[in-house]
Amino acid sequence: VQLVESGGGLVQPGGSLKLSCVASGFSFSNYWMTWVRQAPGKGLEWVANINQDGSERHYADSLRGRFTISRDNADNSLYLQMNSLRPEDTAIFYCGRDAPYSASSGFFDHWGQGILVSVSS
Amino acid sequence: QSALTQPASVSGSPGQSITISCTGTNSDVGGYNFVSWYQQHPGKAPKLILYNVFDRPSGVSRRFSASKSGNTASLIISGLQAEDEADYYCASYTSRSTVIFGGGTKVTVL
């Protein structure tokens, strides 16, 4: 199992960024997937998850409306579109593999290496 | 929704056992057996060490175990080793179909 994030970088406040996570080594379309972030020196914060066909998505209350999770099973890819970015969104973003069931398991057994998003003018 | 409550730090000597608590509410920890624990070394991605309260992924040491009572889950590390020095996070599924993490606990091996 391998998860590789990309798309991070420096963005100005109010800007947008789209993160990608390419999965390999497992049947991507069978699994819920998730995004988790970690601000510098801080703890883990769950961001969002998405079910196998993209028909069910859940978001952390603090992020609703600004972030959108999506996936492309044909490309084994998970995405996170981030709009109206704020300095407090600066963090390492991790994609994670969730459950192969009809509902999220709430745990993530494989993680990517993480990608840094910096929001600053 | 506030993070699950964990002690900021716990320490112990090699060979000792330590316990890290994780307190939530009836809407998360107390309502589901979907509590998980993660170990994170500096500069590394988190690693799942326990899930569904008690279960250990393949390859994780049996020195890691867990329990749950009411709204509080606990991680027990027995036979503490130098390599166990890391940050530990609990997480729980919630009634809103989301996931919530604890604030994290720094474990120091004296």
Side-chain angles (χ1 to χ4, degrees):
Chain A
V1 174
Q2 192 171 15
L3 299 169
V4 180
E5 301 96 339
S6 62
L10 177 64
V11 61
Q12 292 189 336
S16 298
L17 209 57
K18 186 174 185 177
L19 304 182
S20 300
C21 170
V22 176
S24 60
F26 66 101
S27 297
F28 177 74
S29 61
N30 288 347
Y31 285 80
W32 280 77
M33 297 294 295
T34 200
W35 286 100
V36 173
R37 70 178 181 178
Q38 185 171 34
K42 302 297 185 182
L44 300 174
E45 181 186 15
W46 180 80
V47 172
N49 66 5
I50 186 168
N51 72 341
Q52 288 87 341
D53 66 3
S55 62
E56 186 174 346
R57 314 174 195 204
H58 302 283
Y59 297 91
D61 287 345
S62 61
L63 302 170
R64 191 181 299 273
R66 295 193 300 125
F67 289 13
T68 302
I69 189 171
S70 63
R71 65 191 296 161
D72 183 340
N73 288 338
D75 286 340
N76 290 338
S77 294
L78 176 72
Y79 302 104
L80 186 67
Q81 175 68 47
M82 303 182 293
N83 299 329
S84 302
L85 284 162
R86 307 164 181 169
E88 55 265 36
D89 293 317
T90 294
I92 294 173
F93 283 74
Y94 297 98
C95 67
R97 190 178 80 167
D98 196 321
Y101 313 122
S102 59
S104 170
S105 63
F107 69 85
F108 319 119
D109 62 350
H110 290 277
W111 297 61
Q113 82 286 352
I115 190 78
L116 179 62
V117 171
S118 295
V119 185
S120 175
S121 55
Chain B
Q1 190 172 9
S2 300
L4 304 176
T5 301
Q6 296 181 234
S9 62
V10 172
S11 62
S13 300
Q16 285 187 331
S17 293
I18 62 170
T19 299
I20 300 170
S21 61
C22 170
T23 300
T25 68
N26 290 334
S27 297
D28 39 67
V29 175
Y32 304 90
N33 284 329
F34 291 149
V35 178
S36 53
W37 291 89
Y38 301 86
Q39 178 192 61
Q40 186 180 36
H41 287 106
K44 300 295 187 181
K47 174 188 175 183
L48 179 69
I49 56 173
L50 288 156
Y51 64 99
N52 293 349
V53 181
F54 311 107
D55 294 331
R56 263 188 314 275
S58 175
V60 172
S61 172
R62 296 178 69 175
R63 298 185 299 103
F64 294 97
S65 62
S67 64
K68 194 187 88 165
S69 177
N71 295 337
T72 298
S74 299
L75 169 68
I76 303 101
I77 308 176
S78 58
L80 199 61
Q81 299 180 0
E83 67 206 51
D84 300 332
E85 188 161 291
D87 293 326
Y88 291 83
Y89 295 90
C90 62
S92 176
Y93 187 74
T94 82
S95 59
R96 302 180 68 174
S97 301
T98 61
V99 177
I100 185 170
F101 281 94
T105 299
K106 181 177 180 60
V107 168
T108 301
V109 181
L110 302 172

